[in-house]
Amino acid sequence: MISSAFPYQKKRISVLGVEMAYIDEGQGDPIVFMHGNPTYSYVWRNIIPYVQGAGRIIAADMIGMGDSQKLPVSGPDSYTFVEHRRYLDALLEALGVHERVTLVGHDWGAALAFDWAHRHPHAVRGIAYMEAVIETVSWSESSEVARTRFQAMRSPQGEQIVLQQNSFIEFNLPKTVLRTLTEEEMNEYRRPYTEPGEGRRPMLSWARQLPIEGEPADITEIITSSGEWLAHNDIPKLLIQAVPGTRNPDKPAVNRSWPAQIEVAVRGHHTPQEDSPDEIGQAIASWLKTIVNK
């Protein structure tokens, strides 16, 4: 059974003047879980139990998401990758996460994990990731439905689609899971975004940050640079490949040949944590044992 319950008590800390919420459980080397869009630490609820006892478990809600505070002022230029990175850096610094860090990332959380590792290479023990934002893509690689929807989000229609209609929660999220999310689960994902308007801005900003055909240029540079670095280092990596996932089968995946990488396949679409939490948890727990002395 996949539980809808969130069995952890969140802590809160002021980071750069804004309160961030996070889980901090256990002792030992830090294992940091990073969520993507439009989820938050809730997405890891059935996976974290498998790694408890293996280290200090940290799972934060990114700024403006989950139970972390919204930015006091937001608009079209807020909640960028670089802004999320700034708050994440400050949070990990405040929590004393400096060495022997294992990163577990999904979607944009994986991109943030890659970037953090790139900038702190001697602090990283390993990286596990799934459905990552990993390279720039072209519009032609997307399905017609996805292309139409994301092009609309990157246009002036985006504010209506996301900020008013809450489409990332009501439309996009259910389509990234193979099973049907329960009403309890949907309500947990709705909870941070109950009010229409700027409180939903993080979801729209992430959609507009996707590196498509070289734009935005700064994000394309960050993602490309991290990927090139990961392709030439021996940091242990665990690729959790969702099947069918969202990978274009006609395009070779640049990450499949990264060195020091183990790959496992699990049933899932873009949010495999909601389809195969047991398999993902077991895979991470087993992999952690192989890098214990790294």
Side-chain angles (χ1 to χ4, degrees), residues 86-119:
R86 189 163 68 94
Y87 281 92
L88 177 64
D89 281 358
L91 174 67
L92 295 182
E93 178 68 25
L95 297 181
V97 177
H98 298 132
E99 60 184 1
R100 294 186 60 77
V101 184
T102 300
L103 304 168
V104 182
H106 167 245
D107 184 62
W108 278 110
L112 286 165
F114 298 154
D115 175 66
W116 194 91
H118 189 194
R119 293 180 293 111

Side-chain angles (χ1 to χ4, degrees), residues 135-142 146-147 150-151 154 206-217 219-220:
E135 60 183 325
T136 188
V137 297
S138 66
W139 288 115
S140 62
E141 295 173 43
S142 305
R147 181 168 61 252
F150 275 88
Q151 284 177 337
R154 290 165 82 113
W206 277 133
R208 291 173 169 173
Q209 290 280 283
L210 285 168
I212 302 176
E213 297 187 351
E215 294 293 336
I219 304 307
T220 298

Side-chain angles (χ1 to χ4, degrees), residues 155-273:
S155 78
Q157 297 178 52
E159 275 72 11
Q160 178 65 30
I161 295 170
V162 179
L163 303 192
Q164 299 304 317
Q165 298 173 6
N166 205 20
S167 68
F168 250 106
I169 297 298
E170 302 299 338
F171 178 82
N172 291 63
L173 177 62
K175 290 187 176 297
T176 69
V177 182
L178 297 180
R179 69 182 178 91
T180 300
L181 293 171
T182 67
E183 193 63 17
E184 291 81 4
E185 290 165 335
M186 284 298 301
N187 285 338
E188 281 300 310
Y189 283 121
R190 290 180 179 118
R191 186 171 57 78
Y193 307 110
T194 54
E195 295 295 325
E198 285 298 318
R200 296 171 178 171
R201 177 67 67 175
M203 297 182 287
L204 179 58
S205 292
W206 277 133
R208 291 173 169 173
Q209 290 280 283
L210 285 168
I212 302 176
E213 297 187 351
E215 294 293 336
D218 61 335
I219 304 307
T220 298
E221 169 59 27
I222 291 169
I223 298 298
T224 301
S225 178
S226 295
E228 290 174 349
W229 174 75
L230 287 160
H232 296 92
N233 68 59
D234 61 357
I235 291 175
K237 308 167 191 72
L238 173 64
L239 165 57
I240 298 168
Q241 182 66 52
V243 179
T246 56
R247 185 178 66 84
N248 183 344
D250 297 324
K251 180 180 179 181
V254 297
N255 60 309
R256 300 295 283 275
S257 60
W258 284 353
Q261 180 165 271
I262 295 172
E263 180 176 334
V264 297
V266 302
R267 181 178 179 273
H269 194 249
H270 183 59
T271 310
Q273 303 100 308

Side-chain angles (χ1 to χ4, degrees), residues 24-46:
D24 193 346
E25 300 272 338
Q27 303 292 325
D29 294 334
I31 305 169
V32 182
F33 287 80
M34 301 183 184
H35 68 84
N37 188 30
T39 65
Y40 61 108
S41 57
Y42 179 74
V43 79
W44 303 113
R45 68 193 180 281
N46 291 303

